[in-house]
Amino acid sequence: MKRILLCIGFLFFIGCVNKEQKIVLNPNVLFILVDDLGYHDLGFSGSTFYETPNVDSLAKESVWFKNGYAASRVCSPSRASILTGKFAARHGITDWIGAKAGDEWRIRNRHDKLLPADYIKALPKEDITIAEAFKNKGYVTFFAGKWHLGNKGSYPEDHGFDINKGGFHRGSPSGGFFAPFKNPKLKDKNAGENLTIRLAEETANFISQKKEKPFFAYLSFYAVHAPIQTTETKWNKYSDKAENYGIAKTGFKIERVLPIRQVQDNPIYGGLVETMDDAVGIVLKSLKENDLDKNTIVVFTSDNGGVASGDNYATSNLPLRGGKGYQWEGGIKEPFLIKVPWLGTNNKTSDFPVIHTDFYPTLLDLSNISLYPEQHIDGISLKSIIEGKKINIERPLYWHYPHYGNQGGEPSSIIQQNGWKLIHYWEDNREELFKLPSTENDEMNVISEHPELASKLSNQLLSWLKKVNAKYPKKDSLFDKDKRDLRLQNLKTKKLESLEKNRLKVLSKDFQPNKNWWKSKITKD
């Protein structure tokens, strides 16, 4: 009886462990979201070039969902889906906020066949975010880093976060990765300080200060998004590593529209990834030093695939095809870790297909908080899997991207179910069918071999889109095929040539981006 009363008395202050039933009441939650990190950008998931010892250690203590997916191929839709538990077509944020749509798309001079669909440009106020769900149960809620879900009036503090360090409307670091940051929500401390490390330190300080109450901390790195930047020391390390491995003669090939990176050998990106890992280490160390590592759930994931085309062409996602912005596996398959110490998640893996919308009900369930089934309608709780049980659910996963990606992706929608993935392209209504995981690189379209299955999945996809009132791209009446073809030809010749030259330049011994290495070195100039 005394034990029960003790647990109740501290219900909103500390996690109370019931060892017999392996239950922690009111556990803390640390959610780590990396921007643009690819599935194979980590040591535990297969990279031999990037070094990520802290995340690799976390993976050993977690359930690794090997078939973990982002809710979108670009950032804002995925971030909205994590916070709301809804697929992009349902919440309406289907592109990164700020992207041109409709007639404005012509400003880009891309000469595409379609005008991208319009989309919602702020996180809907009527949604109950996961932060609000935790706050309603007495949790202190904290946000650090990239938001990109609306302008003033739709910042983290407007959607359930008590504290906001660095979250505003911009999707990339305004001042780069070294101070001054030019961030209205994060005051500069020291010139040249690193943004990724600073966000980790803010999170660690929050943990130390608020450890007497349960907390929901959401660390949303701006890294490893462009502009990719690192220190001279880390560049030297990865430049030497690339040379020791043997520098490939070519680093790119042509995908359908853009060149795409084929090798992981960019020393700038390598340093950026390692700094992200250093930052993860700071926060995990804080949990341990404050004796909170045993009653804190830790999540680690990314918002979309690694950038292999477009932006800085920073990484390769092989053997997965594509990357950020693409409709194939490289664009949506993600690192997906959940650590629950009291459930013995060490070195566990699961092949069950999971997606960003599952975090909302899973974290509530693990925290013994009543679910919001009408809110996180497109997610399911993964608690049973984490406990080592099997769940017999055959559910479809849906993606809707009625836009052109900056990275070469095409307007398309996807349904994935029972190991099959069908992609519907909106330019001409053609479709592709893939069997996963045997053709996970999306090179083997088997639609001609399974016409009935393809038709069934197609009808299911289109019916669902209609049900959720999805928006679609429209034909551009001013479309000029000759201009489009000329643009594509230039991408396949001039762009490819310039990328290969820049790749070797970045790997050369005399490489220096500027005198102060993106402000990481304080100079007198």
Side-chain angles (χ1 to χ4, degrees):
M1 184 65 182
K2 289 183 179 180
R3 181 180 182 181
I4 295 174
L5 292 174
L6 181 63
C7 288
I8 294 173
F10 284 87
L11 188 61
F12 294 105
F13 295 93
I14 63 173
C16 178
V17 183
N18 182 323
K19 295 182 180 179
E20 288 78 11
Q21 298 180 16
K22 294 185 177 180
I23 294 175
V24 172
L25 301 177
N26 304 107
N28 305 305
V29 178
L30 170 62
F31 195 108
I32 303 173
L33 177 64
V34 188
D35 196 6
D36 291 356
L37 184 74
Y39 184 86
H40 293 296
D41 281 353
L42 301 158
F44 81 89
S45 62
S47 179
T48 58
F49 187 65
Y50 313 128
E51 297 181 18
T52 56
N54 293 299
V55 178
D56 294 348
S57 294
L58 175 63
K60 291 179 181 178
E61 300 173 338
S62 306
V63 177
W64 174 19
F65 290 89
K66 291 189 172 182
N67 289 312
Y69 287 92
S72 177
R73 64 185 83 169
V74 295
C75 56
S76 297
S78 286
R79 292 164 186 274
S81 291
I82 291 171
L83 292 173
T84 66
K86 295 179 179 179
F87 289 146
R90 195 187 298 273
H91 60 61
I93 303 175
T94 52
D95 205 355
W96 60 273
I97 295 176
K100 300 297 183 184
D103 292 341
E104 289 188 348
W105 182 246
R106 297 192 186 107
I107 297 173
R108 300 288 305 278
N109 290 319
R110 297 209 0 171
H111 311 293
D112 292 310
K113 288 184 178 181
L114 304 177
L115 296 174
D118 198 7
Y119 60 94
I120 292 176
K121 297 176 177 62
L123 195 64
K125 288 185 177 295
E126 58 268 24
D127 279 302
I128 302 169
T129 68
I130 187 173
E132 290 170 320
F134 274 100
K135 187 173 182 177
N136 290 342
K137 285 297 180 180
Y139 277 64
V140 181
T141 55
F142 170 88
F143 183 91
K146 174 173 173 174
W147 179 245
H148 204 187
L149 286 171
N151 214 318
K152 290 182 179 179
S154 186
Y155 281 169
E157 55 266 39
D158 302 306
H159 293 281
F161 289 99
D162 297 315
I163 302 168
N164 172 23
K165 298 289 185 178
F168 68 125
H169 70 279
R170 291 292 299 273
S172 59
S174 300
F177 282 100
F178 299 95
F181 301 132
K182 299 180 181 179
N183 187 316
K185 293 292 184 177
L186 190 69
K187 292 182 179 179
D188 296 326
K189 286 186 176 179
N190 304 309
E193 71 172 325
N194 183 275
L195 176 60
T196 306
I197 299 299
R198 171 67 182 282
L199 293 173
E201 290 173 345
E202 291 286 352
T203 306
N205 289 338
F206 164 78
I207 289 171
S208 297
Q209 294 167 7
K210 302 297 182 180
K211 61 184 178 182
E212 299 304 321
K213 293 190 69 175
F215 60 77
F216 177 78
Y218 198 100
L219 173 55
S220 175
F221 290 120
Y222 282 94
V224 290
H225 192 286
I228 60 170
Q229 299 172 346
T230 192
T231 62
E232 184 177 16
T233 300
K234 277 188 163 55
W235 173 85
N236 272 317
K237 173 181 178 178
Y238 284 96
S239 179
D240 290 344
K241 194 170 185 178
E243 184 175 4
N244 291 335
Y245 278 11
I247 297 174
K249 292 182 179 180
T250 60
F252 301 87
K253 77 170 189 178
I254 295 297
E255 214 0 301
R256 284 185 183 169
V257 178
L258 290 178
I260 191 165
R261 196 176 193 100
Q262 298 295 288
V263 290
Q264 292 186 348
D265 65 357
N266 188 324
I268 304 172
Y269 187 73
L272 186 60
V273 171
E274 185 177 334
T275 300
M276 176 278 298
D277 184 79
D278 293 340
V280 170
I282 290 171
V283 182
L284 296 181
K285 181 181 179 182
S286 176
L287 288 178
K288 185 167 291 188
E289 289 178 343
N290 287 283
D291 198 27
L292 298 173
D293 55 316
K294 296 296 189 294
N295 69 326
T296 300
I297 301 165
V298 181
V299 169
F300 181 92
T301 192
S302 174
D303 59 349
N304 48 248
V307 183
S309 286
D311 301 341
N312 283 97
Y313 294 81
T315 192
S316 170
N317 299 295
L318 292 175
L320 303 181
R321 185 180 182 184
K324 178 183 179 180
Y326 280 98
Q327 57 275 8
W328 299 304
E329 292 289 274
I332 55 176
K333 200 168 187 181
E334 301 304 323
F336 205 107
L337 303 175
I338 302 179
K339 174 187 174 182
V340 189
W342 58 94
L343 293 182
T345 52
N346 292 12
N347 282 314
K348 288 186 178 179
T349 61
S350 172
D351 292 325
F352 184 79
V354 296
I355 194 166
H356 278 159
T357 51
D358 295 332
F359 284 127
Y360 195 147
T362 298
L363 293 176
L364 292 187
D365 204 4
L366 289 169
S367 303
N368 309 294
I369 297 174
S370 298
L371 303 188
Y372 290 66
E374 294 183 359
Q375 173 60 52
H376 46 72
I377 190 170
D378 294 316
I380 62 171
S381 173
L382 306 176
K383 182 179 179 181
S384 294
I385 296 178
I386 294 170
E387 292 175 332
K389 304 171 186 175
K390 291 185 178 180
I391 57 175
N392 296 315
I393 298 177
E394 296 181 354
R395 58 163 178 169
L397 302 180
Y398 295 104
W399 293 263
H400 183 57
Y401 190 71
H403 314 279
Y404 290 98
N406 296 335
Q407 302 80 19
E410 301 160 77
S412 53
S413 299
I414 306 168
I415 179 173
Q416 182 171 313
Q417 188 173 24
N418 298 333
W420 293 94
K421 180 171 72 173
L422 180 129
I423 304 175
H424 181 96
Y425 291 90
W426 294 107
E427 277 195 347
D428 52 13
N429 292 316
R430 76 185 188 281
E431 294 179 333
E432 296 172 340
L433 180 68
F434 303 100
K435 180 70 176 75
L436 302 175
S438 59
T439 58
E440 67 175 6
N441 59 3
D442 293 330
E443 294 285 359
M444 192 181 298
N445 178 13
V446 296
I447 195 166
S448 61
E449 299 171 28
H450 304 276
E452 293 184 2
L453 174 61
S455 178
K456 178 182 177 181
L457 289 173
S458 178
N459 290 335
Q460 188 175 344
L461 171 62
L462 298 178
S463 295
W464 183 82
L465 291 172
K466 182 178 180 180
K467 178 182 176 181
V468 298
N469 297 313
K471 295 182 179 180
Y472 306 95
K474 298 178 181 179
K475 290 184 179 181
D476 186 355
S477 60
L478 302 182
F479 171 63
D480 189 319
K481 183 178 182 300
D482 292 337
K483 290 182 178 179
R484 192 277 309 269
D485 291 347
L486 178 60
R487 172 179 168 270
L488 294 181
Q489 184 58 37
N490 286 334
L491 289 173
K492 294 178 180 179
T493 53
K494 296 179 182 179
K495 185 63 178 180
L496 182 62
E497 182 180 352
S498 68
L499 285 170
E500 292 290 5
K501 287 182 179 179
N502 186 65
R503 171 175 165 266
L504 295 179
K505 177 183 177 181
V506 169
L507 286 164
S508 66
K509 291 296 184 182
D510 59 350
F511 173 72
Q512 185 178 17
N514 54 17
K515 289 184 179 181
N516 61 17
W517 280 79
W518 299 295
K519 301 180 295 184
S520 67
K521 293 174 67 174
I522 307 302
T523 67
K524 296 180 180 180
D525 296 339

